[in-house]
Amino acid sequence: MKLLPYFIIASAIGALAVSIDDCPGYTASNVVESDGKLTADLTLAGTACDIYGTDLTELKLLVEYQTNARLHVKIYDAGLQVYQIQESVLPRPSSQGVLASDAAIQFKLTEKPFSFSISRTGSDEILFDTSGTKLVFESQYVYLRTQLPKDPNLYGLGEHSDSFRLATDNYKRTLWNAESPFIPRKSNLYGSHPNYLEHRGGSGSHGVALLNANGMDININKTSSGDQYLEYNILGGVLDFYFLAGPSPTDVSKQYAEVVGLPAMVAYWTFGFQQCKYGWPDIETEEQVVANYSAADIPLEVLWADIDYMDRRRIFTVDPQKYPLDKMRKLVGDMHQRGQKSRCIH
Ligand SMILES: *[C@@H]1O[C@H](CO)[C@@H](O)[C@H](O)[C@H]1NC(C)=O
Ligand SMILES: *[C@@H]1O[C@H](CO)[C@@H](O)[C@H](O)[C@H]1NC(C)=O
């Protein structure tokens, strides 16, 4: 008898549970094609499923053949209320407006239910295909799935401590910046880079970069009937994709760098010896470390103070007992006078 209320509650939750399969998807209309560009309106195709927040009823689709090797596909809210990464934070290259017929990859639209695919020009090999599942675009959830060939060679989606070639079965890649002490396997780490490279052997490699700053789970998995897929489960933002044609892995890397920019040139002194340790008890220990490098005739370019120096781990503070400000200033001043550098970890 004790089980009965429990059973009733469990069934009630089961009956109420809404899944993404209940979401209506979108329908494309007002498709306008011009040289190197396509725009369309996307309208919610039925009753909102409102799984996490509310479904957005009106979206916009923008497709640009930016270069022969770079295709930009953006799905965003018609009201322009959803966060987009500002150009001031990450400047993007402008479109060179190439003709689709000159491009190495092609965009294909299915209006109802809305889906799209990306394929290689000539061979028609499909690289990305969202048909079969419906786009979900809510105030707190964005979902898109692409079909993939079985056991694809996928790399990227950093920063993580998983295998270099990503697992293809029952695999969840969480992009949520975190320090994972001692870097255990299968952890999310400090940075989020929602871009992957897929290597297809014969036809080469291509890249898929998603410009979205929200936390997300990217699941790489197979359906119960064995069909391979990769899906984005995102906490918000817009779907801002760059499809990169490769065809070599090096080409994909170069094309990706054209989107997000080249790494900054590092200063010459950063190639010198840098010492840091978490757990130094006080400023006197740090003074000794610096002095002991000199005594041992080892050139020390930089000393890093880890978070031990802070007052109760508060940013922009120093511990008044263990790392008093006057002693910190003296050590830093002495090092700078000798041309050494000092840094504090935040
Ligand atoms: C993978 O798919 C199976 C069902 O086919 C499901 O039980 C499992 O939760 C999925 N894993 C991920 C990470 O999506
Ligand atoms: C510096 O060297 C001295 C002498 O060898 C040693 O006693 C001391 O522990 C060293 N200090 C640190 C922080 O390693």
Side-chain angles (χ1 to χ4, degrees):
M1 284 310 285
K2 252 183 115 183
L3 281 174
L4 195 58
Y6 197 74
F7 172 76
I8 291 167
I9 292 166
S11 332
I13 291 169
L16 285 173
V18 187
S19 88
I20 49 173
D21 297 334
D22 303 319
C23 296
Y26 288 82
T27 306
S29 61
N30 296 329
V31 182
V32 178
E33 273 184 87
S34 56
D35 288 353
K37 193 172 163 182
L38 180 151
T39 57
D41 296 333
L42 304 180
T43 310
L44 194 67
T47 311
C49 57
D50 296 343
I51 306 180
Y52 300 106
T54 50
D55 289 272
L56 275 61
T57 50
E58 300 294 333
L59 305 177
K60 295 272 185 196
L61 169 70
L62 167 69
V63 180
E64 295 174 308
Y65 287 85
Q66 292 199 326
T67 71
N68 290 352
R70 184 175 74 238
L71 188 54
H72 182 211
V73 177
K74 185 168 163 181
I75 298 168
Y76 58 102
D77 57 312
L80 292 175
Q81 295 302 302
V82 177
Y83 176 75
Q84 299 192 19
I85 298 170
Q86 300 96 316
E87 290 276 343
S88 59
V89 175
L90 188 80
R92 263 87 84 189
S94 51
S95 176
Q96 292 171 18
V98 300
L99 296 175
S101 52
D102 289 336
I105 46 176
Q106 302 294 322
F107 175 90
K108 191 163 158 279
L109 173 71
T110 301
E111 293 182 27
K112 193 178 166 62
F114 164 72
S115 73
F116 69 92
S117 69
I118 308 291
S119 56
R120 276 200 192 280
T121 312
S123 71
D124 290 336
E125 180 179 8
I126 292 176
L127 307 179
F128 198 93
D129 180 4
T130 74
S131 66
T133 45
K134 292 174 218 149
L135 165 69
V136 182
F137 203 121
E138 301 186 339
S139 52
Q140 296 177 41
Y141 182 57
V142 180
Y143 171 84
L144 187 80
R145 180 188 281 194
T146 175
Q147 306 175 29
L148 288 177
K150 207 168 210 135
D151 296 323
N153 300 302
L154 297 167
Y155 304 88
L157 303 179
E159 192 179 7
H160 60 77
S161 54
D162 290 347
S163 57
F164 180 51
R165 177 176 174 248
L166 300 172
T168 57
D169 199 22
N170 192 22
Y171 176 60
K172 187 192 295 287
R173 177 90 285 291
T174 297
L175 276 78
W176 182 261
N177 296 0
E179 162 143 348
S180 297
F182 309 110
I183 313 190
R185 296 294 304 273
K186 297 182 183 252
S187 299
N188 38 316
L189 301 177
Y190 299 91
S192 290
H193 303 271
N195 61 295
Y196 69 81
L197 181 149
E198 185 185 344
H199 186 62
R200 293 254 179 115
S203 65
S205 299
H206 63 275
V208 179
L210 173 63
L211 206 67
N212 183 301
N214 287 253
M216 66 184 85
D217 279 342
I218 298 173
N219 295 331
I220 307 172
N221 201 0
K222 295 177 180 73
T223 64
S224 45
S225 44
D227 298 323
Q228 184 77 53
Y229 65 86
L230 178 150
E231 66 179 21
Y232 298 88
N233 294 269
I234 318 173
L235 294 178
V238 301
L239 289 167
D240 195 356
F241 284 105
Y242 289 87
F243 294 93
L244 311 167
S248 76
T250 311
D251 294 329
V252 175
S253 299
K254 285 180 178 168
Q255 291 151 7
Y256 178 63
E258 283 167 11
V259 176
V260 297
L262 293 163
M265 182 102 156
V266 299
Y268 185 60
W269 60 263
T270 60
F271 293 106
F273 196 92
Q274 311 202 16
Q275 171 68 60
C276 178
K277 179 167 165 51
Y278 172 56
W280 279 327
D282 47 37
I283 184 76
E284 286 77 16
T285 307
E286 298 201 359
E287 289 165 1
Q288 280 182 29
V289 169
V290 175
N292 286 3
Y293 267 97
S294 299
D297 242 352
I298 301 171
L300 176 67
E301 198 67 36
V302 194
L303 183 79
W304 288 79
D306 209 323
I307 57 175
D308 313 290
Y309 72 85
M310 294 176 182
D311 181 13
R312 287 161 287 167
R313 302 274 193 269
R314 290 174 181 174
I315 194 131
F316 299 129
T317 64
V318 290
D319 185 313
Q321 268 83 51
K322 296 173 184 151
Y323 290 84
L325 191 56
D326 56 336
K327 290 193 174 178
M328 287 283 274
R329 282 190 169 143
K330 170 129 190 6
L331 177 61
V332 167
D334 289 350
M335 292 188 72
H336 289 183
Q337 270 202 332
R338 292 191 295 265
Q340 293 170 303
K341 305 274 194 289
S342 58
R343 291 292 181 270
C344 285
I345 289 178
H346 302 300

